[in-house]
Amino acid sequence: MKLLRRPGFRLLVEAVAIVLAAVIAGLRLGAAGIIAAVAVVWVTVARIEYSLARPRERRRRPAPVALPFVPATEPASETVRVLPRPPFEVSPEPEPEPEPVAAEPRQWKFWDLERAVREGGEATEEQEFLLLYLRDYAGPAGLLPFDFDDLVRESFGDALEAVVG
């Protein structure tokens, strides 16, 4: 195997294999057979070269660890001390927040929303993108469908005071 690791010898063996394949195929087959035989041998040689060129990882077994021998009949030399637990404190339950009163769904005017967000100060990136996409759903009069009411209230809550008021 060490002999195959030498590049010069390996090249000689590969060349002889390809030439022999061509000669044997030439005796019995035509030009297409020669080409096919040489191609098969060449692919095989290339795979062998690839496998020999890759560095092999040697798996080493870890050395066994010697554990100290402790006979099972020896009593434990230390006693386990259990610390007392602090008394359990019951925290008062927080009062539930009142549920918001559901407002009637309405159609929002897109242009009023956009103006309120721009005048209201700094618009978030989410609001900017939402305005960009809501523009596609606004009707010719600038009204958004009723389906967008919850989305508008959730996303533009602070700016809605200027639109409603």
Side-chain angles (χ1 to χ4, degrees):
M1 191 62 159
K2 288 184 179 181
L3 198 56
L4 287 179
R5 292 274 179 208
R6 297 176 63 194
F9 180 74
R10 200 167 59 223
L11 178 66
L12 179 67
V13 170
E14 292 164 359
V16 168
I18 291 175
V19 169
L20 277 176
V23 169
I24 293 172
L27 295 176
R28 298 184 184 205
L29 306 172
I34 295 172
I35 292 172
V38 169
V40 168
V41 173
W42 182 81
V43 168
T44 305
V45 166
R47 289 187 69 174
I48 292 171
E49 280 292 320
Y50 178 73
S51 67
L52 290 176
R54 283 190 323 191
R56 294 181 183 232
E57 294 179 20
R58 295 185 185 238
R59 293 185 182 177
R60 295 185 181 173
R61 294 185 182 184
V65 178
L67 299 175
F69 175 73
V70 178
T73 58
E74 285 186 21
S77 60
E78 295 181 18
T79 58
V80 177
R81 189 173 141 206
V82 178
L83 298 175
R85 231 182 227 186
F88 182 69
E89 296 178 15
V90 178
S91 59
E93 291 186 23
E95 294 181 21
E97 295 181 19
E99 299 213 6
V101 179
E104 286 190 34
R106 64 174 279 189
Q107 284 186 303
W108 296 95
K109 239 184 187 175
F110 173 77
W111 310 115
D112 292 341
L113 275 176
E114 188 174 37
R115 187 176 353 97
V117 168
R118 303 257 190 262
E119 291 173 358
E122 238 180 83
T124 64
E125 187 177 359
E126 176 188 0
Q127 289 174 336
E128 293 286 336
F129 278 112
L130 196 54
L131 283 173
L132 179 73
Y133 292 117
L134 282 177
R135 182 176 288 136
D136 294 337
Y137 294 99
L143 292 175
L144 293 170
F146 285 107
D147 298 338
F148 290 100
D149 180 58
D150 290 334
L151 176 69
V152 169
R153 288 181 193 271
E154 183 180 324
S155 301
F156 302 103
D158 300 336
L160 290 181
E161 295 172 5
V163 174
V164 175

